[in-house]
Amino acid sequence: MNALLEQFVIEARELVNEASDELLALERLPGDQQRIDVVFRAFHTLKGGAAIADLPDMTQLLHVGEDLLSALRGRKLPCTSDIINALLACVDQVGHWLADIETTGRLPDLAAERAAVLAADLRRFLPRSSVETAVRADSEFDWAARIIADDPALSAKAGHGAIVAIAYDPQPNCFFDGDNPLGLLRKVPQLVFLDVRARSPWPDLQKINPFACNLAFRALTLASRHDVGQVFRYIPDQVRIAEIARGSDSSAAARERSSRDLARKILAAQRTLLAAPCPEKEFFGRLGAAIEVAKNVLRFAGAEGGAARIEAVRAEATSARNADVVLRVLDQLLSSAASDWSKADSVHDTEGAPAGELPATRTLRIEEAKVDRRLDVAGELIVAKNTMNDLAARIGAELGEVEIARAVRNQTAVIDRLVGQTHHSAVQLRMVPLAQAFRRLPRVVRDVSHELGKQAAITMKGEDIEADKSVVDAIFEPLLHVLRNALDHGIEPPEGRRAAGKPEQAEITLGAFRHGEHIVIELGDDGRGIDPAAVRRKAREQSLIGEEEARELSDDQAIQLVFAEGLSTAAQVSQVSGRGVGLAAVRATVERLGGAVGVASQSGRGTTVRLTLPLSMAFMRIMTIHAGGEVFGVPIEAIAETVRLPRAHILQIKNGEAFVLRDRIVPTCRLDRLLDLPNVGICDRDNDALILVTDAGGQTAGLEIDSIGERLDVVVKPMQGLLAEVQDYAGTTMLGNGRVLLVLNLGAVLQ
Amino acid sequence: MTVKLNHEGVIILAGECPVEDAETLLEHLQARRDGPVDWSGCTALHTAVLQILMAARPKLLGECGDGFVRTWAAIAPRDGVAAKGRKTARDRKSES
């Protein structure tokens, strides 16, 4: 792929996103002129880019879309959901093509056909007149070409000679100048056509001024242009004369014309064939053949749009077992001038927004790898700086309060600050707004709710909050799962909502806010909510929890079980969701990102799923812990609290251990055992047990450890290579003393 | 004066109808919009006169005596189209 195309794909993708966002917004608020403007500009810019990138099929499709938007903009058309659907289809197609271009470097083979079909779909909304005026404005003498094309006898009469067209618009006061327009026209030799018509509608007869000329004349003659000019030599300002391109038959125009004559005959034959009575069993064969022939002949005549019009009615004719719709299109084609078949396709530029009007976005594109390299270096700087801190502390300890020690400590503090800033700015480079993940969701709401026969609207808040690109990229899938769940299980069908006294259209809210070093994303619906009893029952049936545990769980705790592996409360697996992996997968993804999930629900009132994620994955606050003779890092946010309690308070329940924490039974386990490490014997009967309480596994659990170390801000690198598959660790980090620390993923450890 | 009103109430155009006739014709037609107008006797119609006929579209008696107008500028009845040169041209072709 060349650089030009590459650049186009990058920019086009943003424009496609923008256009589809705004189109969806338009659907909610039809007629919002500002949004129409934005979509129009996006189409316009896309079209320009596609033309430069030499993608004619894409250009043509976008061009028709732009025409349609221009009509919406000029309020010549109401902004209906049908139009928006068609425009969205167009935007989607462009999006697919961009993906194709990215992988193969070009448009797929059938792009032209696809573009023609979509363009025809868009074009059917365009007011006929707007197409015609646009065409007429293109060329002063189109009427002449049309008449010549429509009247074979006239061409025959002209033979190889030229036909000269005259457009004569006398001035209103021409009679006072002694002009007699009819008299002049009488003098035109070899006149073959004359059309006299009123230039503006006639006024009431009582008010008419008999001496003001209100006539316009259009004439064709076989005489030479020079001879015609002679006739009108005194009034050159009121007449326009042109030779209509015909000339010798070897000219391209003539070839085109003759091919169109042929096309017309073949089309007429298809019409006759389809109109003739036909035995039932032959109908489809005949219809198919006629459509194929008509399409091919129209393409041959350069009228791709005509072919698309035929194709557009094929399905209707087939399902109705009736060729009437095809006949109608054929009639329209046959009754319009051959030049119009393609005229509707002709590329003409509508007035676009000048480039200067576009809001200038001052951005710089940088390859992600470069930013990451910068971040890596900044991370290494932090490690080096931590080492410096160690050294400064040692110098202080060994030399005592001497000047050199103080100077080193001061300089270390300066470096500390600068390194912090460097790292922070590197992290900032990777920060992108959540909107990048959110913007695709309204479309999902729309499509999925249609599919399910439900009505839902989504409102979004906080989409301008920024988070690390990897977080934003990774959050889309989980959000999609949660959203589909809400639409499928949460939201009732319209009749159910009516019965429950709710508006038929469900409200889905997606909100994000910052909470310290985290972002919290909440997706709520106003549907039926989660029934805690049903979740308990299911969890029991699927042996996810024990009998006793089921009783112990509060309603609030019970509904958290929807995140447990293998639990689905949906009675049947639907196409959209309900396979019992959805929410567990959400939890797994979010926890891998160093986040947490939670759900709140009120029966009959709705459900809110809350995802808590780190703002930046690069920087993590951890606590070091000791277990089994090893040191590990644990993300602070995974730790709900740490408790120290007499070992006697740990109860044996069947095979497991548990303890009571504020009237709740919390299952607990020794970390060294979970990690298959030797028991180094600190945990004996005499010592108190030290337990980390965590919610990371989807439910509260305890992890017994040997001791707690220090708190650190570290740069965690994900596990790579063979180790990438090891779920128990979130990644590694380097300590100030050069040791590598493994950071635990408590959620996975507890599985 | 080539525009006359005969005793049967028919507006008659005769001979060469110059530009001034437009005003006279208009006055007659303002009084009786439907005419009728007998234009078979006129030999040359001025543009201004044709224009009045096109605007008022009265009932026309006979064929226009002006061959050029007859060929190229047929005036349709009031509910029709103002002028249809092309059709007339074809008609003439089929006649010949």
Side-chain angles (χ1 to χ4, degrees), chain A residues 39-355:
Chain A
V39 181
F40 175 83
R41 280 204 294 264
F43 267 70
H44 184 73
T45 315
L46 264 176
K47 186 191 78 172
I52 292 169
D54 198 19
L55 302 163
D57 300 319
M58 194 189 282
T59 313
Q60 209 161 21
L61 174 59
L62 287 164
H63 177 75
V64 180
E66 191 190 343
D67 276 357
L68 188 53
L69 284 159
S70 174
L72 292 177
R73 224 175 157 209
R75 296 173 203 267
K76 288 188 197 107
L77 277 179
C79 184
T80 64
S81 69
D82 279 348
I83 292 185
I84 290 177
N85 274 334
L87 287 168
L88 275 173
C90 171
V91 170
D92 281 352
Q93 183 60 62
V94 172
H96 294 323
W97 281 338
L98 291 175
D100 287 332
I101 292 171
E102 210 164 30
T103 46
T104 66
R106 61 187 188 88
L107 287 178
D109 292 337
L110 290 171
E113 282 77 2
R114 192 77 199 116
V117 170
L118 286 168
D121 194 42
L122 291 173
R123 211 173 274 130
R124 78 199 148 92
F125 298 107
L126 276 173
R128 191 81 195 118
S129 63
S130 90
V131 176
E132 277 168 35
T133 24
V135 167
R136 199 163 294 145
D138 254 10
S139 161
E140 164 104 38
F141 289 100
D142 261 3
W143 57 270
R146 200 153 39 225
I147 288 158
I148 295 166
D150 273 3
D151 193 347
L154 205 151
S155 303
K157 215 192 282 178
H160 294 305
I163 294 182
V164 171
I166 305 161
Y168 176 21
D169 297 310
Q171 283 173 359
N173 61 357
C174 68
F175 298 151
F176 294 102
D177 296 339
D179 288 348
N180 179 5
L182 267 185
L184 282 174
L185 286 161
R186 280 174 215 266
K187 288 183 196 152
V188 173
Q190 290 183 276
L191 198 66
V192 287
F193 170 86
L194 176 64
D195 178 56
V196 188
R197 60 182 58 197
R199 206 175 326 169
S200 52
W202 297 110
D204 187 82
L205 209 54
Q206 305 299 328
K207 290 178 191 152
I208 212 163
N209 175 357
F211 301 121
C213 184
N214 181 35
L215 294 176
F217 302 86
R218 297 289 178 269
L220 293 177
T221 167
L222 303 180
S224 75
R225 188 179 170 150
H226 175 261
D227 291 349
V228 176
Q230 279 296 308
V231 174
F232 295 100
R233 65 186 180 279
Y234 295 115
I235 49 158
D237 55 322
Q238 297 170 43
V239 71
R240 289 166 314 285
I241 302 163
E243 207 160 327
I244 300 305
R246 263 172 51 85
S248 67
D249 275 346
S250 64
S251 76
R255 270 205 310 280
E256 194 181 350
R257 197 164 35 249
S258 72
S259 81
R260 284 192 174 157
D261 285 347
L262 189 61
R264 182 177 284 277
K265 283 185 191 131
I266 298 172
L267 281 185
Q270 303 316 308
R271 198 208 174 284
T272 316
L273 178 75
L274 283 178
C278 165
E280 181 76 1
K281 63 177 193 292
E282 279 178 31
F283 173 76
F284 289 116
R286 198 182 276 195
L287 177 72
I291 287 177
E292 282 311 317
V293 171
K295 272 168 60 187
N296 287 337
V297 84
L298 284 163
R299 289 211 186 98
F300 172 72
E304 207 53 68
R309 278 166 72 186
I310 299 261
E311 181 59 42
V313 293
R314 180 203 282 264
E316 193 183 332
T318 310
S319 65
R321 301 178 74 87
N322 186 329
D324 282 356
V325 277
V326 182
L327 285 175
R328 210 151 38 215
V329 175
L330 282 173
D331 281 344
Q332 285 164 7
L333 289 168
L334 285 168
S335 65
S336 61
S339 53
D340 265 2
W341 298 343
S342 67
K343 271 295 182 288
D345 291 335
S346 77
V347 178
H348 56 93
D349 208 345
T350 42
E351 79 303 352

Side-chain angles (χ1 to χ4, degrees), chain A residues 627-629 670 672-673 676-684 704 706:
Chain A
R670 290 176 46 160
D672 50 12
R673 213 173 284 161
D676 288 332
L677 295 169
N679 181 352
V680 290
I682 301 176
C683 322
D684 52 46
E704 191 181 343
D706 294 343

Side-chain angles (χ1 to χ4, degrees), chain A residues 62 77 162 283 314 322 382 401 415 443 468 502 567 737:
Chain A
L62 287 164
L77 277 179
F283 173 76
R314 180 203 282 264
N322 186 329
I382 288 188
E401 267 312 293
I415 291 172
R443 184 71 193 272
D468 189 272
K502 301 180 190 179
L567 186 113
N737 57 15

Side-chain angles (χ1 to χ4, degrees), chain A residues 626-695:
Chain A
H626 299 260
E630 301 272 342
V631 183
F632 298 102
V634 176
I636 295 264
E637 73 259 4
I639 304 171
E641 59 186 301
T642 53
V643 286
R644 199 177 278 274
L645 74 168
R647 194 156 299 278
H649 289 196
I650 295 179
L651 318 164
Q652 284 288 329
I653 299 177
K654 290 187 185 156
N655 301 330
E657 292 176 325
F659 65 98
V660 177
L661 178 67
R662 290 189 287 277
D663 299 337
R664 271 166 59 193
I665 292 190
V666 177
T668 184
C669 189
R670 290 176 46 160
L671 184 57
D672 50 12
R673 213 173 284 161
L674 281 178
L675 295 175
D676 288 332
L677 295 169
N679 181 352
V680 290
I682 301 176
C683 322
D684 52 46
R685 291 257 152 218
D686 304 331
N687 289 332
D688 284 350
L690 180 60
I691 295 175
L692 285 184
V693 180
T694 174
D695 295 321

